[in-house]
Amino acid sequence: MEPIMNQIRSRVFQRLHRAAVLPRRKHSGCAEQAAVPATTNSRKNKPTLLVSRLYQPANLRDMGLQGEMTCKSQRLMQQAGLIYQSNPGCYYYLPATVRSMEKLVRVIDQEMQGIGGQKLDMPSLCSADLWKTSERWDLMGKELFRLKDRHGADYCLGPTHEEAVTTLVAHQATLSYRQLPLLLYQITRKFRDEPKPKFGLLRGREFYMKDMYSFDVSEEAAYETYESVCQAYTRLFARLGLRCVQVQADMGNIGGKLSHEFQLPADIGEDRILVCGNCSFSANVETLSQETSDCPNCKTGKLEESKAVEVGHTFNLGKKYSNIFNATFSSAQNKPCIAEMGCYGLGVTRILAAAIEVLSSEEGIRWPGLLAPYQACVLPPKKGSKMDGAAVLAEELVHTLGETLPRLRGEVVFDDRTQMTIGKRLKDASRLGYPYVIVVGQGALEETPRFEVICQLTGETMFLSKDGLLDLLGRVETV
């Protein structure tokens, strides 16, 4: 064995010595060739975001829909290869869905940080001791995912984090009134043991949620913070083009003094809301003591009932949790005072699915403009067709869009599946819901090139020059 090891050491030493003293040879291997930057214009202008390379596995779509399709958004997202069910109420979010979610998170971050929110991340695994202290360990019942560690200690997977965040703040002994209001929020996975998960991402066992918690010096200050968060929610939904209704709501097992839901009217909705046609009154039917068609606010208007999906919820908690966990701050008189609290939730994955539910047609997804995974898709002609000469123009167009409109860099995909007809690729583009589809065909070969542009949200088709196209896409808002 020893002679063999000596031979191996000798060979390794000789190779290392040659690598150190000999000039590096130029290799022609495939891997190194791929790393060499392109120098020709044709190579430089090659699109990099190719539909054929996007991970939306056709086999996942073609194998048939999983289980009962209980709503439009679930069916469309699964048919488009955007989600894939792993088990009841839990889904794989495929790359296009993740891109859309990340955009939604950026919009949420902008609005929450715009009112002073600070982002943090709390453990999903929560000690049962905290939940027993707040008495919600039993109150939550079977909805709470519970588990034991190897030492027999009880934990739960957090559906919400009032106990955790209040404990965190309570351990900061030096919190001053000058630091308030304090708004802490996170965007994380949440868990709820739904008895019968349904409607795809609208009601699952595992989902993403934004939960914010506020700490204030007084009841009056807490109401001001509450109102600022509600206004931020209203701005957020307006930016997404979603007509949400803020309605008075029940406090449920979270508790508190005041609560509102942000409801998106939809036929699939499980909530029933009442809206007055004469004044600004609106409420969840659960908050009214009896069935009535008369507005309790203005007394003259009639209440109109509709179904809706809850996408946000706000609570003024008062001192419910801060008293229990002794979350205090030092007042101007340097005395410890119990903080007033609020909590504010947004269903991230639910907003995404609800938007698809209300905006989409039966055949294809329609996204809120800001949340579309990609803003545009360029379709070159079919390979071998009479218009094949326009293929190079299509590639150059993608390059021009990225160079001329920096906001669209990384937002334009090129459908390089030129073995397929334009018609089949248009059908796919409609199913996936790119806001703008640009067909580079016969018009692009004319003396003054024209491009067929389809606006998916409105269904309008336009024939534009390159300058007209750049002007149209230059007005697209991205995040």
Side-chain angles (χ1 to χ4, degrees), residues 12 103 113 139 188 195 295 307 368 415 454:
V12 170
K103 291 181 178 185
Q113 292 170 20
L139 186 63
T188 56
C295 177
K307 293 182 178 180
D415 195 339
I454 302 166

Side-chain angles (χ1 to χ4, degrees), residues 122 144 292 322 352 380 409 432 435 441 471:
M122 292 180 275
L144 203 61
T292 178
S322 49
L352 202 63
R409 288 175 188 166
L432 294 167
D471 181 63

Side-chain angles (χ1 to χ4, degrees), residues 320-375:
K320 175 180 176 179
Y321 294 93
S322 49
N323 261 326
I324 293 172
F325 295 100
N326 196 34
T328 64
F329 64 94
S330 296
S331 69
Q333 292 74 38
N334 202 29
K335 294 182 179 179
C337 298
I338 298 292
E340 292 275 345
M341 286 183 61
C343 68
Y344 317 89
L346 283 174
V348 178
T349 39
R350 182 176 283 190
I351 290 172
L352 202 63
I356 291 173
E357 187 71 36
V358 300
L359 296 177
S360 300
S361 68
E362 290 295 330
E363 292 74 34
I365 290 173
R366 300 295 177 264
W367 305 88
L370 282 178
L371 305 188
Y374 300 97
Q375 290 295 331

Side-chain angles (χ1 to χ4, degrees), residues 383-404:
K383 189 174 183 179
S385 69
K386 295 179 181 179
M387 299 174 289
D388 200 11
V392 174
L393 297 177
E395 294 179 358
E396 291 176 352
L397 177 62
V398 175
H399 177 73
T400 300
L401 291 175
E403 289 295 307
T404 309

Side-chain angles (χ1 to χ4, degrees), residues 209-351:
M209 189 174 86
K210 187 282 302 179
D211 46 322
M212 174 183 272
Y213 306 90
S214 63
F215 297 83
D216 274 284
V217 297
S218 66
E219 187 173 351
E220 181 183 1
Y223 280 117
E224 290 178 2
T225 297
Y226 184 93
E227 184 60 29
S228 73
V229 177
C230 288
Q231 291 173 2
Y233 278 19
T234 299
R235 287 193 300 271
L236 183 146
F237 291 120
R239 290 178 65 184
L240 299 181
L242 301 176
R243 297 180 179 178
C244 287
V245 182
Q246 180 181 340
V247 305
Q248 69 179 38
D250 184 71
M251 271 66 78
N253 58 38
I254 289 181
K257 302 177 179 179
L258 177 69
S259 176
H260 285 90
E261 294 166 344
F262 287 78
Q263 296 275 3
L264 183 61
D267 292 337
I268 198 67
E270 295 184 279
D271 288 321
R272 292 159 56 213
I273 63 172
L274 296 168
V275 178
C276 177
N278 188 53
C279 70
S280 59
F281 178 81
S282 56
N284 190 310
V285 295
E286 296 174 349
T287 65
L288 300 181
S289 57
Q290 59 184 4
E291 293 288 337
T292 178
S293 60
D294 296 323
C295 177
N297 184 51
C298 69
K299 310 300 183 183
T300 58
K302 295 296 181 181
L303 297 177
E304 297 179 5
E305 182 177 317
S306 63
K307 293 182 178 180
V309 175
E310 179 192 331
V311 289
H313 208 147
T314 56
F315 297 86
N316 182 306
L317 298 173
K319 296 179 180 179
K320 175 180 176 179
Y321 294 93
S322 49
N323 261 326
I324 293 172
F325 295 100
N326 196 34
T328 64
F329 64 94
S330 296
S331 69
Q333 292 74 38
N334 202 29
K335 294 182 179 179
C337 298
I338 298 292
E340 292 275 345
M341 286 183 61
C343 68
Y344 317 89
L346 283 174
V348 178
T349 39
R350 182 176 283 190
I351 290 172

Side-chain angles (χ1 to χ4, degrees), residues 56-184:
Q56 291 175 292
N59 65 301
L60 296 186
R61 295 181 289 184
D62 297 340
M63 67 189 298
L65 299 175
Q66 304 164 283
E68 181 185 2
M69 293 296 104
T70 49
C71 67
K72 179 169 59 178
S73 60
Q74 179 186 12
R75 174 176 57 79
L76 289 175
M77 293 185 80
Q78 195 163 314
Q79 285 177 338
L82 298 179
I83 58 174
Y84 182 70
Q85 183 174 294
S86 60
N87 46 69
C90 298
Y91 288 86
Y92 294 93
Y93 304 143
L94 296 177
T97 304
V98 172
R99 276 183 65 92
S100 186
M101 281 179 52
E102 288 173 343
K103 291 181 178 185
L104 177 53
V105 167
R106 287 198 287 273
V107 178
I108 293 172
D109 284 339
Q110 289 171 1
E111 294 298 337
M112 295 303 99
Q113 292 170 20
I115 58 173
Q118 301 178 61
K119 197 171 187 178
L120 78 169
D121 197 337
M122 292 180 275
S124 293
L125 195 62
C126 303
S127 168
D129 293 339
L130 294 180
W131 285 71
K132 289 175 181 177
T133 300
S134 68
E135 299 182 349
R136 288 210 297 167
W137 181 259
D138 295 324
L139 186 63
M140 288 291 290
K142 294 182 178 180
E143 283 191 4
L144 203 61
F145 273 109
R146 305 161 198 260
L147 62 156
K148 290 181 181 289
D149 69 8
R150 65 180 65 194
H151 306 295
D154 288 317
Y155 291 87
C156 67
L157 295 177
T160 182
H161 279 73
E162 284 78 11
E163 289 83 357
V165 74
T166 313
T167 299
L168 173 68
V169 172
H171 279 83
Q172 184 180 346
T174 58
L175 186 65
S176 166
Y177 73 96
R178 294 187 180 91
Q179 295 172 271
L180 305 183
L182 174 64
L183 287 81
L184 301 175

